[in-house]
Amino acid sequence: MGDAPAPRRLRWLGYAVAILGILVAAYFISDIALSRVEQPSYCPRCHEVRAQYLAWKVSSHSQINCLTCHGGDNSSLRRWARRRVEARNYIIHLLGKAKYPYQKNLVPEDQVCGECHSPNREVTPSGDLIIPHRKHTTVTGTPCAACHVDVVHLRAAKRLEVAIEKAGGQQEKAFQILAQELQHLGPKDRLPLMGACMGCHNGKKAPDKCAICHKKLDIPADHKAKDWVYNHGTKARQDIHYCVYCHAVLLDVARPGETITLLQGVRGNPFCVNCHSQRPVTHGPDFKLKHKFRAQEDLEGCLVCHDAEKRDKMSLRGVVRCSDCHHTPVTHPPNYRRIHPNIVMREGAGQCFKCHDTTSCSYCHTSGRVGLP
């Protein structure tokens, strides 16, 4: 067989050149297009990150490109890995499948912050705070973002949720409200919340004593009462803001400007959870029998720790829910205490132990109140 005719070879060569040209053009077109997408001015075109853009624009980092903090190194491999994500997110946006408000938090790594900030810098906070910055960065290895995660974006997604409620669900009006609010924020609004400190200073990972972080302590008079540890719940139910003014909630529990509920103030607060996740001294061995009386008097107090039903968020691990026992309400007749021995002997105690345990039996049968049958 001889060589293919020259016209055929030329035709295939033309196809190859055309395909190569298309690929080269696609490369440069996509590179130009994605480079455009990576500019901060392009961000507000997608409402998913418009709130974060508005916050960045009024921050001390407003002259720093987004990718300086969120892009990683600009090597070819890393750049195209990043752009695959950008292209995917852009398609999700075009299809209307993006979540809103945008909640994803692309936290910069320490080496990114280190390009501009020294970990050895001395910091003198205002007020009575003691924050040994160098110890946190070089000794304990605390990530920069653990304390400064919202120094630029100012909890924008949370603020937008509040603005949407104020705007009656109108997104464009909500963005206007958010932009005005961000313009009036002061330096204090950009400081880490106390909850960020308490994420580590929980008494286990780091000391939780007030004097560790504060030079001066103005302890309220009611805190000095001997029974304060047992009776502070009454004050908390009256005004939980009185408590969280010092014992601040975590960053992701309450939205800026939102009224704190009792449940948020306790369960979102490591200062409270450290105690509230343990069995209270009032819950003695016979508490399962007596708890109905406590619930009748103060059900709200019970629900600070316990949930009536299964809850997706804000639940304390290992704490019994009401529905664990009361999923099938049982109504006993008035004379049940007198006749229940016969029922147990006839049907067994399996049904009883769905709610009761042996302490329920021993409360009466081993205390001299009632003899064994």
Side-chain angles (χ1 to χ4, degrees):
M1 298 178 62
D3 294 337
R8 180 180 297 178
R9 290 201 304 271
L10 291 174
R11 187 166 60 249
W12 281 108
L13 181 61
Y15 289 155
V17 172
I19 292 173
L20 181 61
I22 292 172
L23 292 175
V24 171
Y27 172 85
F28 283 105
I29 291 173
S30 63
D31 189 63
I32 293 172
L34 287 174
S35 295
R36 184 184 177 190
V37 169
E38 290 176 346
Q39 297 304 311
S41 59
Y42 199 90
C43 295
R45 298 193 181 194
C46 294
H47 61 258
E48 292 89 17
V49 294
R50 187 173 170 186
Q52 284 76 8
Y53 170 81
L54 291 173
W56 165 83
K57 196 172 180 180
V58 298
S59 75
S60 59
H61 289 59
S62 59
Q63 301 302 313
I64 301 175
N65 190 290
C66 303
L67 293 182
T68 301
C69 297
H70 297 298
D73 63 77
N74 209 33
S75 63
S76 178
L77 183 63
R78 184 67 177 264
R79 183 172 69 253
W80 282 105
R82 182 180 71 235
R83 289 184 173 180
R84 283 198 301 270
V85 175
E86 292 169 354
R88 181 192 64 191
N89 289 342
Y90 187 65
I91 293 173
I92 291 174
H93 170 73
L94 292 177
L95 295 176
K97 300 293 185 180
K99 294 182 179 179
Y100 180 73
Y102 184 68
Q103 298 285 354
K104 185 66 176 176
N105 198 1
L106 301 175
V107 179
E109 298 177 353
D110 284 0
Q111 56 266 32
V112 175
C113 304
E115 291 294 325
C116 299
H117 304 286
S118 169
N120 295 319
R121 64 185 300 196
E122 293 295 336
V123 179
T124 306
S126 60
D128 71 330
L129 291 178
I130 307 169
I131 302 179
H133 191 266
R134 187 180 303 170
K135 182 177 181 180
H136 283 74
T137 56
T138 61
V139 179
T140 64
T142 304
C144 302
C147 300
H148 303 292
V149 66
D150 280 309
V151 69
V152 175
H153 296 300
L154 296 167
R155 306 176 71 197
K158 297 285 187 180
R159 293 183 185 277
L160 182 57
E161 290 177 0
V162 177
I164 290 174
E165 292 179 359
K166 292 179 180 178
Q170 301 179 38
Q171 292 183 5
E172 195 58 37
K173 185 177 179 181
F175 282 120
Q176 294 175 5
I177 294 174
L178 176 63
Q180 293 176 359
E181 177 188 350
L182 292 171
Q183 289 286 348
H184 293 89
L185 294 182
K188 186 177 180 180
D189 297 300
R190 302 177 187 278
L191 295 175
L193 297 182
M194 184 176 171
C197 306
M198 294 179 67
C200 292
H201 286 273
N202 54 15
K204 298 176 182 178
K205 188 175 181 180
D208 61 350
K209 301 299 182 183
C210 302
I212 294 294
C213 300
H214 295 277
K215 302 173 186 175
K216 300 178 181 179
L217 296 176
D218 186 14
I219 301 176
D222 53 11
H223 286 44
K224 299 176 183 179
K226 293 182 179 180
D227 59 350
W228 175 250
V229 68
Y230 303 110
N231 295 331
H232 67 278
T234 302
K235 182 66 177 181
R237 286 195 291 272
Q238 292 173 352
D239 182 12
I240 189 61
H241 285 84
Y242 174 77
C243 304
V244 300
Y245 180 79
C246 292
H247 308 298
V249 297
L250 286 176
L251 295 175
D252 59 348
V253 172
R255 302 175 304 188
E258 181 183 22
T259 300
I260 305 298
T261 65
L262 180 65
L263 198 64
Q264 289 172 320
V266 174
R267 297 197 187 181
N269 190 338
F271 191 93
C272 302
V273 170
N274 284 340
C275 291
H276 280 268
S277 57
Q278 302 175 21
R279 187 181 180 94
V281 294
T282 57
H283 292 32
D286 59 348
F287 192 73
K288 182 175 286 188
L289 277 176
K290 296 181 176 179
H291 76 280
K292 64 178 181 180
F293 304 113
R294 182 70 173 267
Q296 290 170 354
E297 295 175 359
D298 184 17
L299 180 60
E300 184 185 20
C302 300
L303 296 180
V304 170
C305 292
H306 301 280
D307 291 325
E309 301 290 342
K310 186 175 181 180
R311 184 189 295 268
D312 294 331
K313 296 181 179 180
M314 298 289 290
S315 290
L316 295 175
R317 294 182 180 179
V319 176
V320 177
R321 300 186 301 266
C322 302
S323 58
D324 291 343
C325 292
H326 296 285
H327 48 82
T328 305
V330 177
T331 302
H332 295 310
N335 63 339
Y336 187 76
R337 177 173 293 183
R338 181 175 57 82
I339 66 174
H340 80 276
N342 297 328
I343 298 176
V344 171
M345 286 188 291
R346 184 175 66 250
E347 302 178 3
Q351 188 68 23
C352 303
F353 289 137
K354 288 183 177 180
C355 294
H356 303 279
D357 57 24
T358 54
T359 60
S360 301
C361 304
S362 62
Y363 179 71
C364 290
H365 287 288
T366 64
S367 61
R369 290 183 175 84
V370 179
L372 292 172

